[in-house]
Amino acid sequence: MSDDATNKYYAMVEQAWGLSEGARDYVKAATGREVPLQEIVDKVFVPSGLVDIEKTQKESGNPPKIFLQSPYGLQYRPEHKDWIPFRHGPVSFTQP
């Protein structure tokens, strides 16, 4: 297992968690109102520059998923009203 590859993928997961936390913070700052999911996408996820917009538009589904340009993405959990990371692409720990 390559330490460089491990660190690279760990950083990608951290980016996804950062976006998840950003969404949580955005909703918390909007006290007193329900924040539409599309607003979170438009105001938090897309401006990050990490979203694979084309794949997200084609494959988002219900509940919605946001595909990042890495092998990771965010999936909405309606029962918790939050976004959590998921892996949608292959990873290789043998190559940096």
Side-chain angles (χ1 to χ4, degrees):
M1 179 183 314
S2 166
D3 285 342
D4 289 340
T6 301
N7 291 337
K8 179 176 92 174
Y9 288 113
Y10 183 79
M12 290 176 194
V13 172
E14 287 291 311
Q15 285 180 328
W17 273 115
L19 287 175
S20 174
E21 290 170 3
R24 229 179 322 276
D25 292 344
Y26 186 86
V27 169
K28 189 184 292 185
T31 55
R33 72 178 181 97
E34 186 80 19
V35 178
L37 295 180
Q38 189 61 50
E39 182 177 333
I40 296 168
V41 171
D42 294 341
K43 301 287 185 171
V44 178
F45 300 148
V46 172
S48 74
L50 300 173
V51 176
D52 182 334
I53 294 171
E54 184 177 325
K55 184 173 180 123
T56 297
Q57 288 174 340
K58 287 181 184 176
E59 300 179 30
S60 180
N62 191 16
K65 292 181 179 178
I66 302 298
F67 293 88
L68 303 181
Q69 295 170 12
S70 71
Y72 301 96
L74 294 165
Q75 172 175 305
Y76 186 69
R77 296 187 306 175
E79 65 279 5
H80 297 283
K81 295 186 178 185
D82 68 358
W83 297 83
I84 61 165
F86 76 100
R87 184 173 60 85
H88 65 84
V91 296
S92 172
F93 291 108
T94 59
Q95 298 177 6

